[in-house]
């Protein structure tokens, strides 16, 4: 059962020691506010120097970097969609962020990964819709990827965690 490898918690994602932590980045991959700002601050300036070589990423794409000063070994920079009413392919783009992050983790030999609630802050994706989609995509991917030992959904408030737990069933 894939749910034995899924955990939901409330934390600052920069403090986690999972192999990979996922960043809710923007297309420049050069940092910003929210979780992106927190990850860049915690990983240190070397992360920005490295990100400058990546040439950005499209919405729905994910690029992997080292974790630098983080406990995590790597950071998966995922560019989530800006919510625009749902008619612009936002669901598929958000799903791609979760699926590609997990695929890249496995391809690079990692076995644990932690996600923030991508697109649900500044990008305004409705929290319940985003969380349902995250749970569905992660569960499907866990079934396909036996090498992934644990996937964490990391929320930044107890309120978000409680809502996610009720959606997870
Ligand atoms: N640990 C875990 N979750 C966090 C943390 C943290 N340290 N900080 C915030 N969150 P957002 P987005 C939660 O706005 O909507 C940036 O400027 C937060 O409560 O960080 O994908 C980028 O550069 C929310 O639930 O990301 C982009 O321009 C979730 O992380 C843009 O924001 C996502 O909120 C991306 O917007």
């Amino acid at each position: 059962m894939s749910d034995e490898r899924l955990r939901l918690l409330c934390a600052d994602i920069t403090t986690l020691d999972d192999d990979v932590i996922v960043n809710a980045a923007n297309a420049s991959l050069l940092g910003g506010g929210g979780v992106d700002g927190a990850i860049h601050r915690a990983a240190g300036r070397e992360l920005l120097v490295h990100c400058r070589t990546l040439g950005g990423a499209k919405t729905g794409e994910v690029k992997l970097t080292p974790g630098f000063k983080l406990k995590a070994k790597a950071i998966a920079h995922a560019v989530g969609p800006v919510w625009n009413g749902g008619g612009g392919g936002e669901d598929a783009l958000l799903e791609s962020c979760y699926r590609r992050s997990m695929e890249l983790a496995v391809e690079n030999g990692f076995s644990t990964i932690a996600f923030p609630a991508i697109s649900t802050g500044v990008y305004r994706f409705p929290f319940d819709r985003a969380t349902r989609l995250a749970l569905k995509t992660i569960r499907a991917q866990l079934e396909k990827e036996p090498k992934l030992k644990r996937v964490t959904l990391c929320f930044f408030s107890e309120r978000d965690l409680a809502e996610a737990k009720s959606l997870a069933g």
Side-chain angles (χ1 to χ4, degrees):
M1 179 60 186
S2 67
D3 272 12
E4 284 158 20
R5 293 180 285 147
L6 173 63
R7 72 172 175 167
L8 275 56
L9 52 74
C10 176
D12 173 353
I13 200 167
T14 64
T15 65
L16 301 183
D17 63 0
D18 293 276
D19 293 341
V20 182
I21 66 167
V22 179
N23 183 16
N26 59 58
S28 78
L29 299 182
L30 299 178
V35 69
D36 194 5
I39 287 173
H40 273 265
R41 276 192 300 279
R45 210 185 140 67
E46 264 187 292
L47 173 60
L48 179 60
V49 171
H50 184 99
C51 283
R52 286 202 180 112
T53 68
L54 300 178
K58 296 197 186 87
T59 305
E61 277 185 356
V62 183
K63 290 192 177 176
L64 210 64
T65 70
F68 297 103
K69 289 184 179 160
L70 293 176
K71 286 184 199 153
K73 294 173 188 144
I75 305 165
H77 301 266
V79 184
V82 176
W83 180 258
N84 215 346
E90 290 97 320
D91 285 344
L93 291 164
L94 186 62
E95 184 186 336
S96 167
C97 289
Y98 284 94
R99 194 186 61 250
R100 288 296 301 137
S101 296
M102 291 171 74
E103 286 170 352
L104 275 176
V106 171
E107 281 163 31
N108 287 273
F110 298 119
S111 57
T112 63
I113 183 168
F115 288 94
I118 301 169
S119 285
T120 67
V122 174
Y123 281 180
R124 303 182 320 271
F125 205 114
F127 182 84
D128 56 344
R129 184 165 174 149
T131 304
R132 274 196 196 92
L133 215 143
L135 288 162
K136 188 172 150 226
T137 309
I138 289 169
R139 282 168 169 154
Q141 216 54 30
L142 274 170
E143 294 293 339
K144 278 194 216 159
E145 306 277 18
K147 284 184 182 154
L148 269 183
K149 290 207 182 81
R150 188 180 66 204
V151 177
T152 299
L153 270 176
C154 175
F155 298 96
F156 206 41
S157 72
E158 291 292 347
R159 190 165 163 255
D160 284 353
L161 174 63
E163 189 171 349
K165 278 186 173 166
S166 75
L167 292 168

